[in-house]
Amino acid sequence: MSAPLGPDRLADAAAAALSGGADGLLATIFHTWGGLTRFADSQVHQNTWQEDVETRVVAVVDDRRVGCANTHSLGHDAVGRAAADAVAIARAAPPDPDFPGLAPPATPAEKDAYDEATAAAPPSERTAAVARVLAVLPPGIGAAGFVETGGTEVLLASTTGLRVYARSTSASMSVLASAEDSSGFAEVAERRLSDLDPEALAGRAARKAELGRDPRPIEAGEYTVVLEPAATATLIQFLAFLGFGAKAYLEGRSFLSGRLGDTVCSDLVTITDDALAADALGLPFDFEGTPARRVPIIERGVARDVVWDRTTAAKAGRSSTGHALPPPNPEGPLPLNIRMEPGDTPVEQLIASTARGLLVTRFHYSNVVSEKETVLTGMTRDGTFAIEDGRLAHGVRNLRYTQNALAALGAVEAVGDRTEISTELFFGGSRAPALKIARFNFSSATTY
Amino acid sequence: MIDASVRTLVERALEVARSAGATYVDARSLAEESESINVQDSQVKGIERGVSAGIGVRVIADGAWGFAGTARPEPASVERAARFAVEIARSSRPLRRAPVRFAGETPAVASWASPVQEDPFEVPLDAKISLLVSAADRMREVGGISIAEASIDLWRRRSFLATSEGARIEQTIVQSGAGIRAVAVGEREVQQRSYPASFRGNFACRGYEHIRAMDLAGNAARTAEEAVALLAAPECPSGETTLLLDPPQLALQIHESIGHPIELDRVLGMEAAYAGTSFLAPADRGRLRYGSEAVNVTADATIPGALGSFGYDDEGVPARRVEVISEGIFRRFISSRETAPEIGEEGSNGTMRADTWGHIPLIRMTNINLEPGDSSLERMIAETDDGILMSTNQSWSIDDHRVNFQFGCEIAWEIKRGKRGRMLRNPNYSGRTTEFWSSCDAVAGPDEWGVWGTPNCGKGQPGQTARVAHGTSPARFRGVRVGVRG
């Protein structure tokens, strides 16, 4: 139902903010819209749409006093009030000696991330995608999941002359296929609705549910594992959260603090953050207006760098890599477009080369046990299988893992040849391949 | 009072949706003001104020749900949203096996406000900054502290719900919270202590009086000293032992292993693909032993000042107190007007809430409480020959059926021969829900009972964040696995 307002309309709203009385002002304008259709028990049960606009204003007075205010409006009056609020807050705030100043004008890379048909997709196209899922389910298999389509446009403008704009669309979908005592899961995120393949997704999830019927109990302990991309993504997203940002690095909280240049895991592992990659979903600039750069974080097992914003970069005497989050941001910079590079081994071969082990489709509700040691815990779900003599033998009941994530990357024996975007419950998406890991610790079992 | 122009827009949304063919409509305006102040190492690292306002229109048309929300307050946008909600509902109908069943509710015409003694938005900014900086300064005076953080978060929600059944409900809810955190960074470990609770502190539906009562500065030195001491403390041992939990940790234990499993939408599979389902089934009501006889749990949205309290939910159902577990036996789910009839119950018990104007209401915890027992922390320790007392949540994880859990805490103390002993670092424990609650042999009494606000409960797609709470006093559990290592 909606469409972009365009850079000029967003700039018009920004202008109402930039006229406020301050030494410096930065306005960030978001316009987002989209629909999300959820299904469960093989029928649509929630079907929603929303359109939002938000103006965020950063005001700077006396060089280093900073205030922020936001309003969900593009109206000149509301935006002007937000700017006045930001200025009033800045005047009341003590100076922040670490404030690096507003970013200078920049020209980010062009990124074609917008598809008009996806931006304007009517609800009938989302329900049609659900219908295609339901149509191919085998007897005895039910489905749940969602189909989402939407668009975003973002403009940053400041009194330094900065003006950057980007627009993008997204189409994503998940399918949880359920049998009486088993389940399977598959998900996908693309730029275009037309790139979704509901039948393929449903087929993949349903095959896991069928193969996993009558899951057998299994003892907790250490196993060789094949992690599918969604499970790999959980590990690298937590590592990114814990240690790939410059604030944690400078504060000594990161497991990479003092270790750049060291070998930290297997030489089969290369992790970068790259918003500019054609298959990444991120913006070509950050929320300070700095163009996003590709950052090699771990290259063939060697720690290379973390991601930086203007504040952390100024402290360390280097330049921002374009990874600032929206202000005010006490967390510091974080990588939002993490990707682990693929290897050259098909997932079938990862399984075939495993005499005894487990295949994990995805993890659930993972969390940190020990921050600097990168110990995580979480559950398996939606397709955990015993591998025996190089083949998937049968489903097993779900297990809790408690594992040092960095040590797991140190025990990687082979890397899958394809990557997929996967989401983690507490984070956004990241692109990762399947992994074969020699040793992975499961600390307890459950009854299903 | 809700602005007359907003009322007019909400009423117009009802009219447009009905004339487009909706058989049921609720239109809800919400304007939420917010303020957040962050201090790190005695420097202000971010102050933000904001307002998010919009209107959401939820309809049943052709027996299916549709919803559209807009932040654009022009009549044309609201009318478009109302018509679009009906179009969305109609697009859903071919993929429903049966029309939505919706329990009746007497339409209320009412207004409600949470109790506020001191409007936190009227407290001068410099006073709030000063309170946080003084707490951070006192933490930094403790040698070995690497990071000292302090924060305040405030919200004021003004809503107006109008339904095609005739309900007209205005509510104003003020929510306040604050907390401090001291971090000590060692060679191989990072240790932290928080006060009064982790993840930005404790929260309530109260005004600035809630923050003043915390005495952040008065608790700063002890908080920092414990963080530093943890770096040198012995590791929590591994094995099975008697576990005592303090209220800030027990609040999250209740949240994850009782609050979520009793959500009826989860039980019916509506959240299966994302956050998961529940081990509970409708037939478990009145039969399943959830815990020991010491375990009595209520869902109570009427506790004055508790973060999960309100006057009416977002379906117009009045707030109420519900018995969830009585003497260990499971009794009731928390429900909605759609889900209650699915299990043969007459009506909703009033737990549907949406976090913003742009999201549909979902079944959300209210204040899910472990009712007080007749023991005390002092007595429970004195009665324990060998055990561990754990405090303050640090991490949480539970499976998608809400059975197998593992929690990490910030700090623990060993208990030997009835006395609290040395401090232990990196404490954690794991278990299975009904086994764990069945191992509860003592709950402290009303003197040690308090309500702990959890401002960050995630659920649904698109993701929503609810502010909920848990009343509890300290409790004791026998034979719990502790010290799980990777």
Side-chain angles (χ1 to χ4, degrees):
Chain A
M1 185 177 94
S2 203
L5 297 169
D8 291 343
R9 173 71 185 88
L10 301 194
D12 175 66
L18 302 188
S19 60
D23 298 344
L25 287 149
L26 166 69
T28 305
I29 317 278
F30 298 92
H31 174 216
T32 58
W33 67 94
L36 190 144
T37 302
R38 290 184 97 185
F39 53 106
D41 189 22
S42 300
Q43 59 180 336
V44 169
H45 68 303
Q46 293 170 5
N47 206 344
T48 66
W49 177 91
Q50 76 158 315
E51 180 180 21
D52 197 1
V53 289
E54 183 180 9
T55 301
R56 304 178 73 91
V57 184
V58 177
V60 186
V61 301
D62 302 339
D63 201 25
R64 291 179 195 275
R65 296 177 192 269
V66 183
C68 302
N70 68 73
T71 181
H72 286 246
S73 174
L74 302 183
H76 283 196
D77 289 349
V79 171
R81 280 194 300 274
D85 245 1
V87 172
I89 292 167
R91 293 197 194 289
D96 178 356
D98 296 329
F99 181 67
L102 297 176
T107 309
E110 291 282 329
K111 188 173 174 184
D112 178 21
Y114 184 80
D115 175 58
E116 197 165 320
T118 303
S124 57
E125 294 196 19
R126 290 187 294 278
T127 48
V130 177
R132 288 167 62 186
V133 167
L134 301 181
V136 299
L137 290 177
I141 301 284
F146 77 94
V147 182
E148 182 173 29
T149 57
T152 300
E153 55 184 334
V154 183
L155 178 132
L156 273 72
S158 81
T159 48
T160 67
L162 173 80
R163 177 172 154 163
V164 292
Y165 170 84
R167 63 180 189 172
S168 63
T169 51
S170 64
S172 51
M173 182 171 192
S174 78
V175 178
L176 175 85
S178 300
E180 193 175 335
D181 56 7
S182 62
S183 58
F185 183 82
E187 68 175 327
V188 65
E190 302 282 358
R191 288 284 181 210
R192 295 174 184 78
L193 177 59
S194 58
D195 288 342
L196 301 188
D197 186 343
E199 289 87 354
L201 215 59
R204 187 171 154 188
R207 280 192 295 279
K208 281 181 182 282
E210 293 201 302
L211 183 61
R213 286 181 193 274
D214 195 18
R216 300 182 194 173
I218 187 166
E219 292 290 316
E222 197 169 84
Y223 290 86
T224 296
V225 292
V226 173
L227 303 185
E228 290 206 342
T232 304
T234 293
L235 300 187
I236 64 171
Q237 283 180 328
F238 270 94
L239 287 175
F241 171 70
L242 291 174
F244 292 171
K247 186 164 186 279
Y249 177 80
L250 293 175
E251 290 174 348
R253 293 183 290 114
S254 166
F255 55 91
L256 294 181
S257 295
R259 297 186 69 188
L260 294 185
D262 292 355
T263 297
V264 295
C265 59
S266 162
D267 63 4
L268 297 172
V269 173
T270 292
I271 299 173
T272 60
D273 185 86
D274 189 3
L276 302 177
D279 56 3
L281 298 178
L283 291 168
F285 49 83
D286 72 1
F287 293 99
E288 291 173 331
T290 304
R293 279 194 233 154
R294 179 183 183 275
V295 178
I297 295 168
I298 296 176
E299 272 184 331
R300 292 185 292 283
V302 177
R304 291 297 182 203
D305 203 355
V306 293
V307 299
W308 302 79
D309 61 6
R310 288 173 55 78
T311 300
T312 52
K315 275 189 169 179
R318 49 172 298 166
S319 57
S320 168
T321 53
H323 289 85
L325 302 186
N329 168 35
E331 300 302 321
L334 285 175
L336 300 180
N337 295 276
I338 279 283
R339 53 197 299 124
M340 181 182 286
E341 297 303 319
D344 55 8
T345 311
V347 68
E348 297 77 14
Q349 186 56 36
L350 298 180
I351 297 167
S353 65
T354 303
R356 180 175 175 274
L358 295 172
L359 180 134
V360 177
T361 296
R362 67 167 172 153
F363 293 124
H364 173 78
Y365 224 63
S366 294
N367 214 325
V368 180
V369 174
S370 174
E371 182 174 344
K372 202 162 181 180
E373 291 180 314
T374 72
V375 178
L376 309 178
T377 190
M379 295 296 302
T380 66
R381 70 175 286 191
D382 302 328
T384 309
F385 299 95
I387 303 173
E388 293 174 1
D389 301 325
R391 63 181 191 85
L392 296 183
H394 54 82
V396 297
R397 292 181 182 172
N398 286 298
L399 294 156
R400 168 170 297 284
Y401 77 93
T402 302
Q403 169 67 44
N404 181 316
L406 198 60
L409 295 188
V412 168
E413 290 188 336
V415 179
D417 63 352
R418 290 188 313 110
T419 61
E420 294 176 15
I421 284 191
S422 304
T423 55
E424 223 296 322
L425 202 59
F426 299 137
F427 306 107
S430 64
R431 186 168 280 283
L435 297 178
K436 180 180 175 185
I437 297 174
R439 295 169 300 283
F440 201 88
N441 183 55
F442 294 94
S443 53
S444 63
T446 194
T447 53
Y448 65 94
Chain B
M1 288 288 290
I2 296 297
D3 189 80
S5 64
V6 173
R7 272 181 174 270
T8 303
L9 284 173
V10 169
E11 299 286 354
R12 181 67 186 143
L14 285 186
E15 287 169 23
V16 170
R18 292 202 73 163
S19 54
T23 53
Y24 168 83
V25 191
D26 57 48
R28 182 173 46 86
S29 73
L30 174 65
E32 181 174 82
E33 297 164 73
S34 60
E35 183 176 300
S36 169
I37 306 171
N38 295 291
V39 165
Q40 182 177 329
D41 301 339
S42 305
Q43 293 168 13
V44 174
K45 291 296 177 188
I47 307 174
E48 183 170 45
R49 284 190 190 136
V51 58
S52 173
I55 292 174
V57 187
R58 188 177 71 145
V59 306
I60 299 174
D62 290 355
W65 285 114
F67 174 88
T70 180
R72 301 170 74 178
E74 315 90 63
S77 291
V78 173
E79 290 170 10
R80 195 173 55 155
R83 281 192 294 273
F84 199 41
V86 174
E87 182 188 337
I88 288 170
R90 288 191 164 132
S91 78
S92 307
R93 182 64 186 98
L95 297 181
R96 281 196 69 89
R97 284 191 291 278
V100 171
R101 285 195 296 165
F102 200 52
E105 185 67 36
T106 304
V109 177
S111 66
W112 188 88
S114 61
V116 176
Q117 291 174 23
E118 186 176 9
D119 184 345
F121 290 91
E122 293 298 320
V123 174
L125 198 53
D126 55 4
K128 290 179 258 195
I129 292 170
S130 168
L131 183 142
L132 297 179
V133 169
S134 67
D137 282 345
R138 293 203 190 176
M139 287 190 281
R140 279 161 54 80
E141 286 166 6
V142 174
I145 284 298
S146 305
I147 302 164
E149 294 175 344
S151 58
I152 287 177
D153 296 285
L154 309 171
W155 300 276
R156 175 162 39 222
R157 296 165 64 87
R158 290 191 172 100
S159 62
F160 175 55
L161 173 71
T163 73
S164 54
E165 299 164 327
R168 298 290 184 274
I169 299 168
E170 282 188 35
Q171 296 193 80
T172 302
I173 298 177
V174 173
Q175 298 164 324
S176 307
I180 57 174
R181 182 171 84 120
V183 180
V185 178
E187 184 65 25
R188 298 194 52 191
E189 287 202 341
V190 177
Q191 293 291 342
Q192 70 171 42
R193 283 294 284 138
S194 308
Y195 172 83
S198 48
F199 304 104
R200 299 181 74 82
N202 193 15
F203 292 77
C205 280
R206 292 197 182 278
Y208 201 66
E209 67 277 8
H210 171 67
I211 293 172
R212 286 192 195 280
M214 290 178 185
D215 188 14
L216 295 179
N219 285 279
R222 175 190 55 79
T223 301
E225 284 160 6
E226 287 180 350
V228 175
L230 277 168
L231 284 177
E235 185 100 355
C236 174
S238 297
E240 264 192 23
T241 192
T242 296
L243 176 67
L244 281 71
L245 296 179
D246 79 341
Q249 169 56 29
L250 201 42
L252 203 67
Q253 177 74 50
I254 295 165
H255 182 96
E256 300 290 0
S257 68
I258 297 178
H260 279 306
I262 64 171
E263 294 165 345
L264 188 50
D265 52 354
R266 277 179 174 269
V267 173
L268 297 175
M270 293 176 170
E271 296 291 330
Y274 187 56
T277 59
S278 170
F279 69 94
L280 291 170
D284 290 332
R285 284 170 295 170
R287 295 180 185 165
L288 178 87
R289 176 154 289 285
Y290 208 114
S292 70
E293 290 188 357
V295 176
N296 292 282
V297 175
T298 56
D300 187 353
T302 69
I303 300 173
L307 189 66
S309 293
F310 46 83
Y312 295 81
D313 79 353
D314 288 337
E315 292 189 323
V317 180
R320 61 194 59 177
R321 175 183 166 95
V322 176
E323 279 193 357
V324 173
I325 299 170
S326 301
E327 295 182 341
I329 303 298
F330 174 62
R331 301 287 175 195
R332 298 284 302 273
F333 296 103
I334 53 175
S335 66
S336 64
R337 294 176 66 181
E338 181 184 15
T339 56
E342 294 290 320
I343 61 166
E345 293 192 348
E346 262 188 35
S348 162
N349 50 38
T351 68
M352 287 286 274
R353 287 190 290 160
D355 64 350
T356 72
W357 49 265
H359 291 150
I360 56 171
L362 300 172
I363 293 175
R364 304 311 302 253
M365 291 174 225
T366 54
N367 306 298
I368 310 295
N369 315 303
L370 177 64
E371 295 296 317
D374 58 7
S375 189
S376 69
L377 180 60
E378 189 180 358
R379 191 168 126 203
M380 286 188 282
I381 290 173
E383 292 168 348
T384 301
D385 188 51
D386 187 2
I388 293 178
L389 166 64
M390 295 191 192
S391 172
T392 316
N393 181 260
Q394 184 151 293
S395 79
W396 63 96
S397 174
I398 190 164
D399 70 40
D400 58 310
H401 291 199
R402 299 273 150 184
V403 175
N404 180 317
F405 61 77
Q406 183 166 316
F407 288 94
C409 295
E410 288 185 350
I411 192 168
W413 293 269
E414 68 179 10
I415 298 171
K416 294 286 184 195
R417 291 174 290 284
K419 296 206 180 315
R420 186 196 293 216
R422 59 185 183 160
M423 180 185 290
L424 301 171
R425 78 180 201 279
N426 300 334
N428 66 30
Y429 65 97
S430 68
R432 294 182 186 179
T433 294
T434 54
E435 291 170 14
F436 178 80
W437 287 106
S438 295
S439 77
C440 178
D441 74 341
V443 180
D447 290 350
E448 296 174 73
W449 196 88
V451 184
W452 295 82
T454 300
N456 55 352
C457 176
K459 185 175 178 181
Q461 290 175 300
Q464 297 194 38
T465 303
R467 298 177 196 131
V468 308
H470 307 288
T472 185
S473 47
R476 185 174 62 198
F477 303 84
R478 300 288 191 180
V480 179
R481 184 182 175 196
V482 303
V484 183
R485 304 276 172 255

